Amino acid sequence: MVVTEIPKVTDDMVSGDAVEKEEGKPFVLFGREFSRKQVCAAGAGILCAALLVGGGAYAISQASWTGDSNAPAVSQSKDDEKQDMVLTLEVKADGWDADTSTPVIAHIEDADGKVDFYTAIAANKQVTVEVGKSGTYSVTLIPPVNADGSTYKAASSKVKAGKDDKKTNGTVITLEKVDADKVTKDDLTAIAKDVAAAVKKGDSTLTGDKGAAVAKKFEDNIKKNPNADADAVEKETGKAEETAKEDKSDAKTPETSDNKKNDSGSKNDSGNNGSGNKSDSKPSGGSGNSGSGSSSGGSSKKDDTTAHQHNWVAQTKTVHHDAQYKTVHHDAQYKTVHHDAVVKYVSICNNCGADITGNEAAHFKNSLLNGGNCGSCHEESRTVQAAYDEQVKVSDAYDEQVQVSAAWDETVTTGYKCSSCGATK
């Protein structure tokens, strides 16, 4: 209880001169003002009673914000209690695979620049990102890269923050897929640069071993694209890995959490506890704070082991396929040649009808010597060979080897290996 000394009332204070002199200077007791005249007129007894009542009330009111009293706290309505404000969203990406694709990296900013950070999230799954206060936030996505080198077009959206309510539908952002052979060298290098920038302002999903694993996965998947500039990509993702290992972040926001929680409800799928703090963060001075209280360095270390999530990286080998052929048979080729009839002309004796071709004069002379009358002749045609058609071969029959498909190399996945701990599956 707060005890305040009540000033003594003297004769000088009762006199008229003193009252007039001090009239403009009121007493301030227990947070209330009293004029000199009020002190004199009320009398010490009545004034003390009033002041004790008022002082007690004042002490209670003071204790409500100073904490100097054991007076009961003033209760608040549920509407006045602080609510966790989150962004609820789902990124749809056709062909994205949780084991082999890189995560989606979301850049989240508010209008006044107080919130500006990056976080790694899964695609095709509703997640929540804790932002602290209500309002509209800009969400810009760095597209993921799949194991075959394909990726997606970058996208952005405005998302309103609301209460952390499982019934919230959230915002859905759909990414348009770009096949591996359609992605340019510049596009792939730009993604690597964006990842390096994201790690500098990343939350716990992009710092430490987790951040280094994300950067390495982007490097591996981008370099599988035949259009990638391997040296440029390795340079940018190498920067990201080094930055992540420093475990420093300029992010101006709490952590990212998944909508689904485990059976105990104290941690969500993304590895964060209920308050949004890192479950794998290093404690300061041998101890660290969780969402519900403090824990010793030993228990924090145990949480680190429990919270480890495998980052499965596809292990591949190259299989060569020879060119494929088939045999095509070609028949012999022919053409038809027409031959006209062959005709010759002969001389026929007009008297005896003999064929005297080439011997006309001798025939006539012989006839006269023998008393004959042969002395003239005429020509007649005779067919030596009739007309006919002949099939002439143009080319012989042959077999030809025709290529059905060219030789090619195929990348085959033989298994998966965790980039952090080396486990395989």
Side-chain angles (χ1 to χ4, degrees):
M1 178 175 178
V2 178
V3 179
T4 304
E5 182 180 357
I6 302 174
K8 296 180 180 179
V9 181
T10 64
D11 294 336
D12 291 338
M13 294 174 64
V14 179
S15 66
D17 293 339
V19 171
E20 291 176 0
K21 184 176 180 179
E22 298 294 329
E23 189 174 9
K25 299 181 181 180
F27 282 105
V28 178
L29 299 176
F30 308 111
R32 298 187 180 183
E33 294 183 356
F34 296 90
S35 69
R36 305 285 177 167
K37 290 182 179 181
Q38 286 176 319
V39 173
C40 296
I46 299 175
L47 181 59
C48 287
L51 293 180
L52 287 173
V53 175
Y58 176 73
I60 294 174
S61 65
Q62 283 287 88
S64 67
W65 61 271
T66 62
D68 293 335
S69 172
N70 293 324
V74 179
S75 63
Q76 293 181 328
S77 66
K78 290 185 179 180
D79 294 337
D80 294 332
E81 293 177 357
K82 184 178 180 181
Q83 298 288 336
D84 290 333
M85 305 306 290
V86 298
L87 303 180
T88 304
L89 69 156
E90 178 180 356
V91 178
K92 289 187 178 294
D94 183 38
W96 186 88
D97 182 76
D99 290 329
T100 61
S101 301
T102 70
V104 183
I105 298 180
H107 185 194
I108 300 175
E109 301 172 280
D110 64 356
D112 56 13
K114 292 182 179 179
V115 174
D116 181 5
F117 75 106
Y118 293 80
T119 185
I121 61 176
N124 304 325
K125 182 178 185 180
Q126 189 179 81
V127 299
T128 59
V129 183
E130 187 175 326
V131 291
K133 64 178 182 178
S134 61
T136 300
Y137 293 78
S138 296
V139 178
T140 305
L141 303 179
I142 299 175
V145 181
N146 299 321
D148 62 354
S150 62
T151 183
Y152 304 83
K153 290 184 178 180
S156 61
S157 180
K158 297 290 186 181
V159 182
K160 289 185 177 181
K163 296 179 181 179
D164 189 359
D165 186 356
K166 292 182 179 179
K167 297 180 181 179
T168 303
N169 292 327
T171 299
V172 176
I173 305 175
T174 301
L175 296 179
E176 181 180 347
K177 188 176 182 182
V178 182
D179 292 333
D181 59 344
K182 298 293 192 303
V183 187
T184 67
K185 175 182 71 175
D186 292 340
D187 291 337
L188 295 167
T189 303
I191 292 175
K193 288 182 178 179
D194 289 341
V195 172
V199 170
K200 292 181 180 179
K201 288 188 176 183
D203 63 4
S204 65
T205 64
L206 291 171
T207 54
D209 290 339
K210 290 182 181 178
V214 170
K216 186 64 170 65
K217 197 165 191 177
F218 267 98
E219 177 186 346
D220 293 341
N221 284 6
I222 292 175
K223 288 169 71 174
K224 288 177 183 177
N225 189 305
N227 299 329
D229 183 342
D231 292 337
V233 171
E234 187 172 344
K235 177 181 177 182
E236 295 300 330
T237 54
K239 291 179 185 177
E241 288 185 60
E242 291 301 320
T243 302
K245 289 177 181 177
E246 293 174 2
D247 202 15
K248 295 178 181 178
S249 173
D250 295 330
K252 304 174 182 177
T253 185
E255 304 301 331
T256 302
S257 60
D258 196 302
N259 253 0
K260 287 187 177 181
K261 296 186 177 180
N262 61 15
D263 294 338
S264 65
S266 62
K267 282 188 178 181
N268 51 42
D269 291 346
S270 65
N272 302 322
N273 56 29
S275 66
N277 295 327
K278 302 179 188 176
S279 62
D280 60 345
S281 62
K282 297 179 180 179
S284 174
S287 64
N289 293 329
S290 67
S292 60
S294 63
S295 61
S296 65
S299 63
S300 176
K301 185 174 182 180
K302 183 178 179 181
D303 289 343
D304 287 343
T305 304
T306 304
H308 174 71
Q309 294 180 350
H310 291 300
N311 180 38
W312 297 113
V313 178
Q315 304 300 300
T316 61
K317 69 175 182 179
T318 300
V319 178
H320 178 75
H321 298 270
D322 293 328
Q324 300 297 309
Y325 295 87
K326 70 175 182 179
T327 300
V328 177
H329 177 75
H330 297 272
D331 293 328
Q333 300 296 308
Y334 294 88
K335 71 176 181 178
T336 300
V337 178
H338 177 73
H339 296 273
D340 293 329
V342 178
V343 179
K344 71 175 184 177
Y345 290 92
V346 295
S347 296
I348 302 300
C349 178
N350 291 331
N351 182 49
C352 66
D355 182 357
I356 58 174
T357 302
N359 197 27
E360 291 88 348
H363 177 75
F364 295 153
K365 181 179 180 180
N366 185 52
S367 176
L368 291 173
L369 292 175
N370 293 300
N373 297 320
C374 297
S376 63
C377 64
H378 67 274
E379 286 188 344
E380 291 182 5
S381 61
R382 294 286 188 271
T383 298
V384 177
Q385 181 177 306
Y388 68 96
D389 292 330
E390 180 183 11
Q391 293 292 315
V392 179
K393 182 187 288 185
V394 177
S395 62
D396 293 327
Y398 66 98
D399 292 331
E400 178 185 13
Q401 293 294 312
V402 179
Q403 182 173 297
V404 177
S405 63
W408 58 290
D409 292 332
E410 178 185 14
T411 300
V412 178
T413 300
T414 59
Y416 297 91
K417 181 177 182 180
C418 178
S419 62
S420 298
C421 67
T424 60
K425 71 171 183 176

